[in-house]
């Protein structure tokens, strides 16, 4: 009996084979169910090989048998994954892309973390074509005909990218809702808040904050100021007013004294990384230092929300709609949802608008003739003495609109788009000339589409006139490339379809008012010795396009 107990279950060769086959089995489990729970992952990666060691210990003893078993199991698992991802059986095998990206999503996540994702993806599209495999289960698309089938109402729902980005799953904000019906329901108060009528209610806040910015810059005339920083001060102060009826006073202080900015920006960078590899975030969020950082942000958001609940509505700010103070819904949403959405508005509305205005100003400063033409239009509608804070002429200012459109075209605030994925259980979706298999993260790369000569003539040139020519407002100037290529359907800075930017109306109103008043009141030039290219080089794509310093000198015009 004692002798039988020591008999090995299998000969060494069969034992190794059994271990390798078990690893392939584990791969199939990971592939089919994508388990994230630590208990199940540990079971598959640690417990199973630990048990299988029993097959080798009788041959090699515990000291060699256990490590040998683990090495065999993990190697077989890695090889199984590698061969599948690179092999012809993978559903994305027909799509080209860089080898490391096909092997692991960590490759692309690293590019995202480095902040140059927008340029990296543009290079990939130039090299591989309109569809590129940028992860084992992910593609990027640069084909304007795919915008509607991917992003439109019959398109794809959101992917799990936002599960990774979201700091606290229990306070999922609107942007993270994957279920189309839930998303539509949750978007209703936002749509009420940003209807054309409601946006007019925000005009006095815009005017007051625009006036404050121009005064603050005017008070610093002759000094070097970082225009990009001041625009961010402005957008944060404005969004604080618009969302919560008041929060920050960065323009008054000339600084982010509460440290809100740093906290949110760090969240943006790490969130962009996690969005690429949601399973990493699942574990990372449990790490003590990340948990502490999350907590700081949460405490800040909670305290502001509590204050706003306590003070009630002095005006119809966004909170008024989000918390159902307008009484449009039968039941009010729980506080955690309101907190999540309030914070989303602050982040989604501040950095995006700031980045577009800073980039547009950068191009205006590089093209003094365009700046002059804009100034001439502003002076025509708002001659000296006329209050350019009164929005009455803005709708007639076609050149202002063209300048802003051109800024949005060249510098979409979300350059690399947000992810979608075919509906679960449908097997995949045909999108233009492509078939996207189920489980494939899919993005439309706005940056590349906006800078594609098939969509826009001279795509790398800041040329606002293109918008006027395209609308028939003026003729194509002599010497311009004819015919004008202008694919309006390819212009999607606010995305497209049911998940598009809900704040588009307010963002446009804010940017027009701001640029109009700035140009009426101030002369602006690059500070001496500034190399404008440094500004473009410093820009980074962390889901939102983040700009560097833009040192300028201003002079009052009156
Ligand atoms: C120039 C300024 C802005 C640009 C270029 C911009 C662009 C975008 C883009 C590209 C998306 C992603 C849509 C998608 O997933 O397909 C988005 C979403 C969103 N934006 Fe904006 N945005 C801007 C300003 C604002 C403002 C001022 C607000 C106001 C709070 C705002 C609120 C939102 C929200 C809540 C979402 C999520 C919508 C949803 O999931 O239903 N954005 N934005």
């Amino acid at each position: 009996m004692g002798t039988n107990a020591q008999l090995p279950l299998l000969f060494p060769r069969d034992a190794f084979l059994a271990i390798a086959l078990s690893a392939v089995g584990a791969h199939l489990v990971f592939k089919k169910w994508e388990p994230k729970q630590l208990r199940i992952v540990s079971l598959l990666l640690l417990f199973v090989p630990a048990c299988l060691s029993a097959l080798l210990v009788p041959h090699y003893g515990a000291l060699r048998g256990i490590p040998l078993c683990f090495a065999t199991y993990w190697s077989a698992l890695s090889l199984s994954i590698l061969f599948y991802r690179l092999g012809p059986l993978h559903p994305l095998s027909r799509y080209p892309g860089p080898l490391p990206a096909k092997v692991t999503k960590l490759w692309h996540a690293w590019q995202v973390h480095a902040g140059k994702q927008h340029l990296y993806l543009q290079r990939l599209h130039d090299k591989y074509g309109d569809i590129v495999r940028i992860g084992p289960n992910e593609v990027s698309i640069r084909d304007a005909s795919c915008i509607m089938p991917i992003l439109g109402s019959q398109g794809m729902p959101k992917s799990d990218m936002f599960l990774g980005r979201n700091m606290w799953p229990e306070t999922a904000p609107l942007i993270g809702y994957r279920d189309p019906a839930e998303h539509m329901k949750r978007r209703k108060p936002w749509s009420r808040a940003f209807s054309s009528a409601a946006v007019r209610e925000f005009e006095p806040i815009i005017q007051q904050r625009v006036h404050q910015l121009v005064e603050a810059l005017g008070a610093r005339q002759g000094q070097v100021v970082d225009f990009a920083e001041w625009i961010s001060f402005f957008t944060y102060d404005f969004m604080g007013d618009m969302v919560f009826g008041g929060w920050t006073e960065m323009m008054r202080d000339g600084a982010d004294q509460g440290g809100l900015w740093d906290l949110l920006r760090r969240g943006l960078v790490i969130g962009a990384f996690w969005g690429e590899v949601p399973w990493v975030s699942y574990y990372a969020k449990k790490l003590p230092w990340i948990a502490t950082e999350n907590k700081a942000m949460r405490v800040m958001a909670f305290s502001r929300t509590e204050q706003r609940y306590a003070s009630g509505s002095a005006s119809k700010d966004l909170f008024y709609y989000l918390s159902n103070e307008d009484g449009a819904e039968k039941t009010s949403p729980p506080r955690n949802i309101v907190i999540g959405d309030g914070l989303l508005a602050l982040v989604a509305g501040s950095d995006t608008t700031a980045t577009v205005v800073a980039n547009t100003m950068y191009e205006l400063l590089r093209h003094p003739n365009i700046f002059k033409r804009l100034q001439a239009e502003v002076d025509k509608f708002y001659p000296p003495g006329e209050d350019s804070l009164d929005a009455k002429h803005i709708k007639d200012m076609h050149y202002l609109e063209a300048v802003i459109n051109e800024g949005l075209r060249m510098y979409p605030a979300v350059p690399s788009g947000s992810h979608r994925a075919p509906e679960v259980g449908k097997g995949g979706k045909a999108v233009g000339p492509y078939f996207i298999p189920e489980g494939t993260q899919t993005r439309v790369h706005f940056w590349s589409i906006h800078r594609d000569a098939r969509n826009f003539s001279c795509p790398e040139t800041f040329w606002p006139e293109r918008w006027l020519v395209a609308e028939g407002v003026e003729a194509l100037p002599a010497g311009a490339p004819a015919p004008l290529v202008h694919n309006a359907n390819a212009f999607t800075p606010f995305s497209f379809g049911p998940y598009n930017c809900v704040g588009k109306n307010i963002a446009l109103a804010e940017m027009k008012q701001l640029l109009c008043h700035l140009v009426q009141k101030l002369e602006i030039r690059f500070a001496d010795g500034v190399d404008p290219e440094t500004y473009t080089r410093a820009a980074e794509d962390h889901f939102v396009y983040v700009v560097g310093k833009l040192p300028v000198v201003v002079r009052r015009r009156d």
Side-chain angles (χ1 to χ4, degrees), residues 316-333:
K316 288 182 184 173
D317 51 19
L318 179 62
F319 198 94
Y320 171 82
Y321 297 96
L322 293 182
S323 62
N324 198 30
E325 279 173 5
D326 64 341
E329 313 285 337
K330 280 201 194 93
T331 47
S332 298

Side-chain angles (χ1 to χ4, degrees), residues 333-522:
R335 287 187 178 213
N336 58 340
I337 294 291
V338 181
I339 291 170
D341 274 0
L343 208 55
L344 165 67
L346 202 68
V347 179
S350 302
D351 286 333
T352 46
T353 316
T355 212
V356 174
V357 175
N359 283 320
T360 306
M361 182 54 72
Y362 164 74
E363 291 292 350
L364 287 172
L365 298 182
R366 286 184 68 204
H367 300 90
N369 55 331
I370 299 178
F371 195 117
K372 282 269 164 288
R373 183 168 175 190
L374 177 62
Q375 206 169 46
E377 186 183 70
V378 171
D379 290 348
K380 182 178 134 204
F381 284 97
Y382 295 99
E386 180 104 18
D387 182 11
S388 61
L389 288 173
D390 182 339
K392 65 182 173 194
H393 296 306
I394 296 276
K395 64 177 185 328
D396 302 316
M397 298 178 69
H398 299 303
Y399 198 66
L400 174 66
E401 183 168 349
V403 164
I404 289 173
N405 276 352
E406 193 59 352
L408 285 162
R409 183 189 69 81
M410 285 198 72
Y411 303 98
V414 182
S416 299
S418 79
H419 299 197
R420 304 286 190 269
E423 206 177 323
V424 177
K426 294 277 166 78
K429 186 167 170 50
V431 166
Y434 314 110
F435 181 75
I436 308 295
E438 187 169 327
T440 307
Q441 308 258 347
T442 311
R443 71 172 74 202
V444 178
H445 196 229
F446 299 139
W447 178 277
S448 295
I449 285 188
H450 285 188
R451 289 173 179 245
D452 186 336
R454 291 171 299 176
N455 298 322
F456 298 101
S457 299
C458 309
E460 300 288 343
T461 307
F462 186 77
W463 181 31
E465 280 72 8
R466 73 174 76 239
W467 298 91
L468 304 180
V469 177
E471 281 161 25
V473 175
E474 62 186 51
L476 192 65
L484 179 80
V485 179
H486 192 91
N487 179 1
N489 294 333
F491 179 59
T492 46
F494 294 100
S495 190
F496 182 80
Y499 306 103
N500 78 344
C501 176
V502 71
K504 178 181 170 182
N505 288 344
I506 188 82
L508 287 173
E510 183 188 355
M511 290 190 294
K512 286 178 184 171
Q513 192 77 70
L514 174 59
L515 269 184
C516 180
H517 197 57
L518 276 171
V519 170
Q520 192 207 27
K521 294 290 181 193
L522 303 174

Side-chain angles (χ1 to χ4, degrees), residues 35 46 53 68 112 142 147 266 282 387 440 444 491 515:
L46 301 174
S53 302
L68 254 180
V112 170
R142 184 197 56 180
I147 292 175
R266 282 204 297 276
Y282 185 82
D387 182 11
T440 307
V444 178
F491 179 59
L515 269 184

